[in-house]
Amino acid sequence: MTNTLFDALFAPHVGNSATFLHCDDGATLTYDAFLKRAAQLAHTLTDAGVHPGDRILVQAPKLSDTIALYAASVQAGAVYLPLNTAYTQAELDYFIQDADPRLIVCDSKDEATVKALAQPRGTAVLTLGGSDGSLSRTADGKPTSFTPVDRAPDDLAALLYTSGTTGRSKGAMLSHKNLLSNAVSLTELWEITCNDRLVHALPIFHTHGLFVAMNTSLLAGAEVRLCAAFDIDVILNEVPRSTLLMGVPTFYTRLLADARFTKDCVQNMRLFVSGSAPLLAETHRDFEDRTGHRILERYGMTETNMITSNPLNGARLAGTVGYPLAGTEVKITNPDTGATQPFGEIGMIEVRGDNVFQGYWNMPEKTAEELRATGFFLTGDLGIQSEDGRVSIVGRSKDLIISGGYNIYPKEIEDVLNDMPDVNESAVFGIPNPDFGESVIAAIVPEQGATLSIEAMKDRVQTQLARFKHPREYLLLETLPRNTMGKVQKNVLRDTYGS
Ligand code: MLC
Ligand code: AMP
């Protein structure tokens, strides 16, 4: 019997009495206790009717049981589908329709609304969090061992949704091999071992927090300080007794903005990793001045896991994302012809390797557009590669805003605004923001003679979209700037309103 991911990440820890999780309330869980809990949850899943290949949709708080649920899903042979806890009911409805999960696990406080969406489809709902989560309660009485379901390297382990330029989220299908190969490359490259202690303050519904941070820790047997959120006081308390931090650039600008963050604070730290959004060279420099540490920047995507990384031992250059990971090929191509560019010339970053996903769930046309028959995936990021292989990202060919590490596709917001009466058209764009890197602005052209209420627009956006996608400002314009082809010039909007 083999289960690719379970055998590598979880099974070796049977009987391991080292601490795995250390939670906000002071509770700790050894690796062995964690595995026993995961087994109890796996029984609960199968009793709830989950079969191999079924999707388990999880929109739940960051708890040790949520991590154990991921392990349970892997051993039950299910497909783990984590969702941002900020998503609205309207957004959740789309994911339920699209992924057709067998089971939904939600926050206890959302039980009534989630059941209203799930029950007409006959989908089971269990809850986590609060004093009486039904998943945790049901699991309590179950056996503490579970025979993992057979899963081959190409079987799906996870479905992670990522927004798109069309405004519709796409489910990226990730196999056991995709996740494991990346965890192995990163653990080796960053030399993560059982002597490490990771401060984990990222959400666990995205690649960065769930796979980069958690899978590498599991593979190495490291200790994880599981912080429910990025709370600066908690982080400053934990960093002195830890060795690793993985974060988005906002983590580092917030740490630098706090005078308590000093060289003394980081005495035991071995490595600070940044990714999911561009790290400003200025942040890199200020961080080194303050702490003596050079942040290690790496680059990845939901569809590909991690692609490149600056070296652990070697030059970590600000403004570059380093070298392709072991087993990952990168090429820079002409976006029009697909031909490989000479070194040093800008082009589309394409990626191939065991880390690259299996395609988009139920979207064969979209898959064919972005994943070439040769196995190369078109990232939509523009970059250059130097002769020694080092990659720098210089822009994006996709219309995307990255705010605090969250991807926001303007089209999704424009669709909501354009659907409103009295809106003729809209253009959503990002402007620089010192905390989040970029923030969202909406420019709106009303129908002729109409009077638009910004409050009404905000109300509409509130019911449709997660808070982090909301425009921070609405501009009412008579027309949108267009080029001679009639295309809206968002660069002109950014230049005009960016400051
Ligand atoms: C929170 N808010 C955001 C936001 N996060 N708004 C825009 N962008 C964000 N990223 C909203 C809140 O709802 C709140 O709204 C207000 O901003 C202030 O909240 P806060 O308390 O200051 O924010 P906080 O909770 O501290 O969150 C900030 C953050 C968080 C940076 C810690 O966003 C975060 O954890 N980001 C990480 C995202 C991530 O993991 N990305 C990886 C994707 S994987 P109000 O109502 O108060 O106005 C990927 C691949 C790869 O990209 O390479 O890794
Ligand atoms: P997601 O779709 O949420 O997985 O986000 C992936 C996108 O985040 C990539 O396509 C990049 O545009 C961006 N990204 C990730 N890491 C970096 C980085 N280190 N520097 C710049 N952009 C990054």
Side-chain angles (χ1 to χ4, degrees):
M1 298 281 265
T2 56
N3 177 311
T4 305
L5 205 52
F6 188 81
D7 294 349
L9 297 190
F10 302 103
H13 297 300
V14 173
N16 181 353
S17 60
T19 301
F20 171 37
L21 296 176
H22 188 143
C23 303
D24 284 334
D25 61 3
T28 58
L29 208 59
T30 65
Y31 269 95
D32 191 54
F34 172 79
L35 280 180
K36 290 188 166 124
R37 185 61 178 161
Q40 290 184 313
L41 290 164
H43 282 290
T44 315
L45 298 182
T46 50
D47 290 355
V50 172
H51 294 108
D54 284 344
R55 276 75 57 213
I56 302 175
L57 186 154
V58 181
Q59 193 187 30
K62 189 175 174 184
L63 304 168
S64 59
D65 260 1
T66 319
I67 311 285
L69 178 60
Y70 162 55
S73 170
V74 171
Q75 62 190 305
V79 179
Y80 191 74
L81 190 181
L83 284 185
N84 194 324
T85 47
Y87 286 150
T88 61
Q89 209 177 332
E91 289 166 308
L92 179 60
D93 194 30
Y94 168 78
F95 296 117
I96 297 174
Q97 302 286 342
D98 195 61
D100 189 21
R102 171 77 57 176
L103 170 71
I104 300 176
V105 177
C106 69
D107 194 322
S108 303
K109 69 176 172 44
D110 300 329
E111 184 172 8
T113 47
V114 173
K115 278 193 167 158
L117 295 176
Q119 275 172 348
R121 303 175 59 88
T123 311
V125 176
L126 289 169
T127 63
L128 275 177
S131 55
D132 195 29
S134 57
L135 177 64
S136 306
R137 187 168 21 91
T138 316
D140 284 344
K142 303 287 181 199
T144 54
S145 72
F146 180 94
T147 306
V149 169
D150 262 3
R151 289 284 94 177
D154 288 335
D155 284 328
L156 294 192
L159 187 62
L160 259 62
Y161 276 83
T162 155
S163 303
T165 42
T166 58
R168 273 187 74 202
S169 285
K170 303 164 288 182
M173 298 189 285
L174 295 156
S175 70
H176 282 239
K177 181 171 72 188
N178 295 151
L179 301 183
L180 181 58
S181 63
N182 213 238
V184 170
S185 303
L186 294 174
T187 308
E188 285 175 1
L189 183 69
W190 297 342
E191 297 179 7
I192 301 175
T193 71
C194 59
N195 297 321
D196 277 308
R197 183 178 196 263
L198 170 77
V199 181
H200 191 306
L202 288 160
I204 49 170
F205 41 73
H206 279 311
T207 299
H208 198 165
L210 185 62
F211 301 140
V212 181
M214 210 47 88
N215 285 354
T216 54
S217 300
L218 281 158
L219 198 61
E223 183 175 329
V224 174
R225 172 63 177 87
L226 198 68
C227 308
F230 184 87
D231 175 326
I232 190 83
D233 294 332
V234 174
I235 306 301
L236 287 171
N237 196 34
E238 294 300 332
V239 162
R241 60 186 98 168
S242 303
T243 62
L244 273 174
L245 176 70
M246 296 185 192
V248 294
T250 303
F251 282 22
Y252 296 107
T253 48
R254 287 188 182 181
L255 280 168
L256 284 171
D258 197 304
R260 293 172 295 170
F261 185 61
T262 61
K263 220 173 198 148
D264 280 350
C265 212
V266 301
Q267 265 179 21
N268 287 324
M269 285 295 289
R270 188 173 73 74
L271 183 62
F272 293 92
V273 177
S274 177
S276 312
L279 181 76
L280 294 180
E282 184 191 340
T283 311
H284 195 272
R285 199 177 45 242
D286 292 351
F287 199 88
E288 186 176 15
D289 289 347
R290 178 86 70 88
T291 65
H293 280 269
R294 290 178 81 83
I295 298 171
L296 183 153
E297 186 172 8
R298 72 8 169 226
Y299 157 58
M301 267 186 94
T302 302
E303 289 92 332
T304 61
N305 296 283
M306 296 307 99
I307 303 168
T308 68
S309 170
N310 270 277
L312 180 74
N313 305 305
R316 298 180 200 163
L317 295 189
T320 80
V321 290
Y323 303 97
L325 298 179
T328 301
E329 290 172 79
V330 168
K331 61 179 182 175
I332 309 289
T333 58
N334 181 314
D336 298 324
T337 64
T340 303
Q341 299 281 66
F343 287 117
E345 281 194 23
I346 296 176
M348 169 77 77
I349 302 178
E350 296 194 25
V351 191
R352 179 165 70 179
D354 284 350
N355 52 317
V356 174
F357 76 143
Q358 309 299 299
Y360 294 113
W361 179 257
N362 281 343
M363 290 188 182
E365 299 84 13
K366 204 72 206 146
T367 303
E369 272 172 36
E370 297 185 18
L371 193 55
R372 294 186 192 278
T374 55
F376 275 97
F377 173 71
L378 285 77
T379 60
D381 293 311
L382 300 175
I384 52 173
Q385 193 167 23
S386 59
E387 236 162 292
D388 74 345
R390 189 182 276 276
V391 176
S392 306
I393 300 173
V394 298
R396 300 174 201 134
S397 67
K398 50 195 173 190
D399 187 14
L400 163 70
I401 300 166
I402 305 185
S403 168
Y406 285 140
N407 283 6
I408 301 168
Y409 278 86
K411 176 80 167 60
E412 196 183 355
I413 305 164
E414 289 161 0
D415 283 350
V416 171
L417 296 171
N418 293 345
D419 262 3
M420 292 191 67
D422 297 335
V423 171
N424 179 0
E425 58 176 349
S426 64
V428 168
F429 56 100
I431 63 165
N433 176 286
D435 187 28
F436 287 137
E438 286 186 280
S439 62
V440 179
I441 307 291
I444 295 142
V445 178
E447 293 286 9
Q448 198 142 28
T451 312
L452 267 182
S453 151
I454 289 182
E455 282 315 308
M457 281 189 276
K458 286 185 179 169
D459 288 348
R460 177 76 186 149
V461 164
Q462 171 117 19
T463 60
Q464 299 301 303
L465 301 170
R467 174 76 185 124
F468 69 89
K469 300 177 190 171
H470 294 190
R472 298 295 147 156
E473 236 175 284
Y474 292 80
L475 307 168
L476 293 182
L477 303 183
E478 279 176 18
T479 54
L480 297 175
R482 289 195 137 81
N483 65 14
T484 48
M485 311 289 288
K487 194 170 178 300
V488 175
Q489 292 170 302
K490 292 197 176 176
N491 57 328
V492 173
L493 288 168
R494 264 189 296 273
D495 291 345
T496 313
Y497 301 102
S499 53

